[in-house]
Amino acid sequence: MDKEVFDWINAKLNLDMAAEDFGLAKLTPRDWKKIVSRCDYGRDWCRLLDLKPEFADRCPWDTLSGSDWEWLLSKKPQFADRCNWEKLDGSDWSWLLLKQPLFAKRCPWEKLGGCDWSELLSEQPQFAKHCQWDTLNGINWSNLLRKQPKFAKNCPWEILNGRNWSSLLQKQPKFARLCPWDELSGWDWSELLAEQPKFARRCPWEILDGRHWRNLLRKQPKFARRCPWDKLDGGDWCEVLCEQPQFADRCPWEKLGGWDWCVLLKKQPGFSAMRNWETLNGGDWEILLSHCPEYADRCPWELLNGRNWSALLRKHPEFADRCPWERLSGWNWRDLLKKQPMFADRCDWKKLSGEDWDDLLGYQPQFADKRPPEQTE
């Protein structure tokens, strides 16, 4: 058995990737027997039977949970006669019927809750005759009516709160005549107007704070004339300018903190001229250079501590020639070598504690001979 196949077997049926990536055609009957021996829980068997249904007689069916059965039957409905239907809860039934509505005659409808019904009827409205409508809460109704407005006649509108109404009207503005507008919060309004700006005349603008304006202006910059800019903090400005850089002339740059600048310069490097670089600390530089290494020529490297260097070098080992290695503690070395074993020749091994060694060797067992005898269990 070649290494590719061996690695695949050792992955214990991690079949979320395309099967051909694992060289399945190379597997011999003996290989498949080894795979079967490694199936130690229900989802292993589901994945195996999806590929090789002929192994059904070897499957310990009682180990499959309700969610396992939902997954398997959605792909291989021919195993229905083996199923212990009692194991499926309402969520399992909802997801199964979305993919395989043919099992509806077996469904104990009373198991489905409001969320289950909302998910199911959004895609399979023909099951509405079985629905217990009183199990749906406001968010369930909002989610359902966004996709299936024909069920509005069944909706008890009074249970929808402001958040539910905002979500619903974003996709179904025709229900606006029923909306109790005073129940919408500032956040609800920002979400709604971002998708349906035509409702602006109804908005009580004074209830929107900085984060609400941030959320709205990113998608609808035309409302800028109404914005009280002093309500925006550094994080708000960062997110607005990432999407709408035309507002830079209004920005009080001193409000932006180190992390705000890291995020902004990643998206809008043109604003680097506005940055007061002297205010960044070591942690800020670590984050900035991890995402934007092109600013390395501006960095005062002496600000970075051992933790900063460990985190930075894990992602950008090319900065190693600037690193003061003596600043790294034992756990800094542990975290660095787990990702970048190439730096082992620079490591001061005596700094690592027993706990550091246990963790490191779980990832890099080749360093076992570096461990001091007194720290060996």
Side-chain angles (χ1 to χ4, degrees), residues 104-326:
K105 61 185 177 182
R106 296 179 179 268
C107 180
W109 300 106
E110 68 278 3
K111 283 191 173 184
L112 276 66
C115 184
D116 306 323
W117 280 113
S118 178
E119 295 284 350
L120 178 59
L121 295 181
S122 291
E123 303 297 332
Q124 300 285 0
Q126 72 272 21
F127 295 132
K129 62 184 178 181
H130 300 290
C131 181
Q132 293 110 15
W133 297 107
D134 59 353
T135 63
L136 277 70
N137 62 23
I139 192 171
N140 301 150
W141 275 110
S142 175
N143 291 338
L144 175 57
L145 294 177
R146 280 164 61 98
K147 291 187 175 181
Q148 297 289 351
K150 68 181 181 180
F151 292 129
K153 63 183 182 296
N154 300 101
C155 180
W157 296 104
E158 67 277 5
I159 72 172
L160 273 67
N161 62 25
R163 181 63 54 87
N164 307 148
W165 275 107
S166 175
S167 176
L168 175 57
L169 294 177
Q170 289 171 48
K171 295 298 182 183
Q172 298 290 348
K174 67 181 180 180
F175 292 126
R177 60 186 175 80
L178 300 172
C179 179
W181 297 104
D182 58 349
E183 292 193 12
L184 274 68
S185 68
W187 185 261
D188 300 331
W189 275 109
S190 72
E191 292 278 286
L192 176 57
L193 295 179
E195 300 297 328
Q196 296 287 350
K198 67 181 180 181
F199 291 127
R201 61 187 177 83
R202 297 181 178 272
C203 180
W205 297 102
E206 67 278 4
I207 71 171
L208 274 67
D209 64 20
R211 66 193 177 99
H212 305 143
W213 279 106
R214 169 191 73 197
N215 191 44
L216 178 56
L217 293 176
R218 284 159 56 195
K219 291 188 176 180
Q220 295 289 349
K222 68 180 181 180
F223 289 126
R225 60 188 176 83
R226 295 181 177 273
C227 179
W229 297 102
D230 59 310
K231 287 189 175 182
L232 277 67
D233 63 20
D236 299 328
W237 272 109
C238 170
E239 294 201 27
V240 169
L241 294 177
C242 279
E243 303 298 328
Q244 305 292 347
Q246 71 271 24
F247 295 132
D249 60 341
R250 299 176 180 269
C251 179
W253 298 102
E254 67 277 4
K255 285 190 174 183
L256 275 69
W259 174 252
D260 301 327
W261 277 105
C262 292
V263 174
L264 179 59
L265 293 179
K266 178 65 176 176
K267 191 71 178 287
Q268 300 286 353
F271 288 135
S272 61
M274 310 301 296
R275 180 63 177 124
N276 182 359
W277 298 97
E278 287 73 22
T279 62
L280 271 70
N281 61 32
D284 297 330
W285 277 108
E286 170 210 318
I287 295 169
L288 177 60
L289 295 180
S290 291
H291 295 88
C292 305
E294 61 271 23
Y295 293 110
D297 60 338
R298 296 177 179 268
C299 179
W301 299 101
E302 67 276 6
L303 295 181
L304 277 67
N305 62 26
R307 183 189 62 79
N308 303 144
W309 275 109
S310 176
L312 179 59
L313 292 176
R314 288 201 300 271
K315 192 168 184 180
H316 290 287
E318 66 271 20
F319 291 134
D321 61 339
R322 298 178 180 271
C323 179
W325 299 102
E326 68 278 2

Side-chain angles (χ1 to χ4, degrees), residues 321-366:
D321 61 339
R322 298 178 180 271
C323 179
W325 299 102
E326 68 278 2
R327 293 189 184 181
L328 274 67
S329 68
W331 66 270
N332 298 151
W333 275 112
R334 174 199 69 193
D335 290 345
L336 175 58
L337 293 176
K338 281 160 62 174
K339 296 292 185 181
Q340 299 289 356
M342 69 179 75
F343 294 129
D345 61 338
R346 299 178 181 267
C347 181
D348 185 356
W349 299 104
K350 63 180 181 292
K351 288 186 175 183
L352 276 68
S353 68
E355 183 179 348
D356 295 330
W357 276 109
D358 291 340
D359 189 16
L360 175 60
L361 295 179
Y363 290 83
Q364 302 290 353
Q366 71 272 23

Side-chain angles (χ1 to χ4, degrees), residues 8-20:
W8 184 84
I9 292 175
N10 280 342
K12 289 187 65 178
L13 302 166
N14 182 18
L15 303 182
D16 293 330
M17 298 174 62
E20 56 268 21

